[in-house]
Amino acid sequence: MNMLVLLFFNMAFAQSTFDGLQTGRYEIHKSAQQIKTTKATVKKSGKIEISKNPERTTASEFEKKAEMKIQSDVLLAPPVVVKVEQKDSVEKAEPTIAEQVQSLASGDATPVYDFYREQVHPDDVRNNRVEIEVSPGIVSNESKSNYSFREYKNFFHAVTVGANIWFTPLVGISGHYTFSLAADVGGDTATNSKIAANYEFIDLAVNLRRFFGLSRLSKSAEFDLLYSENKMKTPTDNVSRGRINSTGFGLGIKARLPISVNYAWVLGASFFPRVQHSESATGIALNSGSSADSAKAGLDIGGEFKFNRESQIIWNLSATAEKNLFSGNASLPDPATGATPENVSVTNTMLIFNLGYRWGQ
């Protein structure tokens, strides 16, 4: 009997314990060492071990903690310095004027032209070796003097032809010839007669220029050694005007200022510190004095409309003034006053406007 009661009691206790485990009334506690070993750990490789106790910490929470751990390790890691080796780029320098003159003296300018062929744009004007110009123009000439034989004013048409020859892009020579078309000059002031006149202007130069860069828009400066000869010829039988001639050497400077690949301003100036001025007899033995101390200066402004380096429309407005101071007495009395002047002074001013075409090759 007692055995039956004990068996029944044990069965009831077991059933109660089983029910308690199923309903959650009882919980099996693990030791601290077990809990420590079952928590998720993050290895340096970034792998995650999931806890064996999902009731305390879920897998998603461990993933978040692992991600934060990895990010903190990256932020705290020392920066990686990458060294990039830079190669020194050697840019070729443009040959100087002296070097180009030396190449001409040695008889071999090929390396100079090879440099420009490689470094500058094919449409750059520095690639031109020959340039030919034809420019019709109009001329206004005024001569003021205290001797009426040398005082006049006239207006005529003219044509200028010229050429620039560049031995190298920085060294060259140039020449321009201007001749008048149907020009005349005032004759006898009492009858207001006109006398045929023929004007000729010759300008030669040795040109040295420098470009400030290798671009087509690079500015340039040109320095010139000039020779100029100006003539006015009248008929040999006229008794109102003589023939005059002025020649001299001077210096010039010209600046070319491109504002686009198709247009450039051109500014220039010239100065002749000493000019040889002479008068020739016609129907009269005209002589304003025994000798003349003369000088001349000029200014130019113009532009270039460039279709390409081989084809350009050019324009130029130039103003020159020549001063002649004679010593001694004139050879003939002044027909306006009847007196023979002394120390005759003449100022000849000339304005020329040209519009023409330049061909380059």
Side-chain angles (χ1 to χ4, degrees):
M1 183 68 177
N2 292 333
M3 291 292 295
L4 291 174
V5 172
L6 181 61
L7 179 62
F8 178 77
F9 178 78
N10 289 335
M11 292 177 62
F13 178 77
Q15 183 66 33
S16 175
T17 302
F18 179 77
D19 291 341
L21 290 173
Q22 284 185 335
T23 58
R25 291 197 306 264
Y26 302 106
E27 180 179 359
I28 300 174
H29 295 282
K30 297 179 180 180
S31 64
Q33 181 65 29
Q34 289 177 326
I35 294 175
K36 182 177 181 180
T37 57
T38 56
K39 286 185 180 180
T41 60
V42 180
K43 296 183 178 179
K44 291 183 181 179
S45 62
K47 295 182 180 180
I48 302 173
E49 293 182 356
I50 306 299
S51 170
K52 295 181 181 181
N53 189 4
E55 298 170 352
R56 293 180 178 270
T57 306
T58 63
S60 62
E61 291 176 343
F62 277 113
E63 290 175 355
K64 291 180 181 180
K65 292 180 179 179
E67 183 178 357
M68 293 174 63
K69 175 64 175 176
I70 294 172
Q71 290 179 353
S72 64
D73 292 340
V74 172
L75 292 175
L76 294 176
V80 178
V81 179
V82 179
K83 293 184 179 180
V84 180
E85 295 184 359
Q86 296 182 351
K87 296 183 179 180
D88 295 332
S89 58
V90 180
E91 182 177 341
K92 294 183 179 179
E94 182 179 14
T96 64
I97 294 176
E99 292 172 340
Q100 297 194 22
V101 171
Q102 185 177 3
S103 70
L104 291 175
S106 65
D108 184 14
T110 303
V112 174
Y113 277 106
D114 289 343
F115 169 84
Y116 286 100
R117 191 179 297 109
E118 296 173 359
Q119 298 295 325
V120 304
H121 194 277
D123 198 40
D124 196 296
V125 295
R126 278 170 282 192
N127 291 318
N128 284 340
R129 299 196 183 188
V130 178
E131 297 171 330
I132 297 175
E133 305 172 4
V134 179
S135 303
I138 53 177
V139 182
S140 174
N141 182 214
E142 182 177 11
S143 179
K144 291 185 177 182
S145 176
N146 58 344
Y147 194 28
S148 62
F149 283 115
R150 295 296 308 269
E151 187 166 2
Y152 54 85
K153 181 186 295 185
N154 58 346
F155 181 86
F156 56 91
H157 297 277
V159 176
T160 299
V161 294
N164 305 314
I165 301 175
W166 296 102
F167 303 115
T168 72
L170 304 186
V171 182
I173 59 174
S174 62
H176 294 81
Y177 174 65
T178 302
F179 58 92
S180 61
L181 300 174
D184 56 37
V185 65
D188 189 353
T189 56
T191 61
N192 292 324
S193 62
K194 296 292 183 179
I195 299 173
N198 181 27
Y199 286 84
E200 293 181 358
F201 310 139
I202 299 174
D203 297 288
L204 305 176
V206 175
N207 313 111
L208 304 175
R209 63 181 178 180
R210 178 187 177 188
F211 286 84
F212 300 94
L214 296 176
S215 166
R216 283 182 292 172
L217 297 180
S218 299
K219 300 176 178 61
S220 65
E222 181 179 307
F223 304 92
D224 305 324
L225 176 61
L226 305 172
Y227 171 79
S228 175
E229 181 175 358
N230 293 357
K231 296 180 180 180
M232 185 187 77
K233 297 179 180 180
T234 56
T236 57
D237 59 351
N238 89 89
V239 294
S240 299
R241 302 293 175 189
R243 293 183 170 189
I244 58 176
N245 183 25
S246 295
T247 61
F249 290 92
L251 298 174
I253 185 171
K254 183 184 297 183
R256 185 175 181 272
L257 310 172
I259 59 174
S260 71
V261 295
N262 302 115
Y263 186 78
W265 289 100
V266 180
L267 306 174
S270 61
F271 178 62
F272 296 80
R274 188 171 181 81
V275 174
Q276 299 295 325
H277 181 77
S278 62
E279 299 172 322
S280 301
T282 54
I284 55 175
L286 178 62
N287 193 340
S288 300
S290 59
S291 63
D293 186 11
S294 305
K296 184 172 69 172
L299 294 174
D300 294 82
I301 181 172
E304 301 174 356
F305 296 93
K306 185 166 74 72
F307 303 112
N308 51 60
R309 71 176 178 85
E310 299 179 352
S311 180
Q312 302 173 38
I313 298 294
I314 57 176
W315 71 272
N316 185 70
L317 176 63
S318 64
T320 59
E322 181 180 332
K323 183 76 171 181
N324 310 123
L325 293 175
F326 293 88
S327 62
N329 295 327
S331 61
L332 297 173
D334 192 328
T337 63
T340 301
E342 183 180 359
N343 298 328
V344 173
S345 173
V346 180
T347 301
N348 192 290
T349 303
M350 193 168 294
L351 296 175
I352 304 178
F353 176 78
N354 291 101
L355 178 63
Y357 178 80
R358 177 187 292 154
W359 174 83
Q361 185 61 47

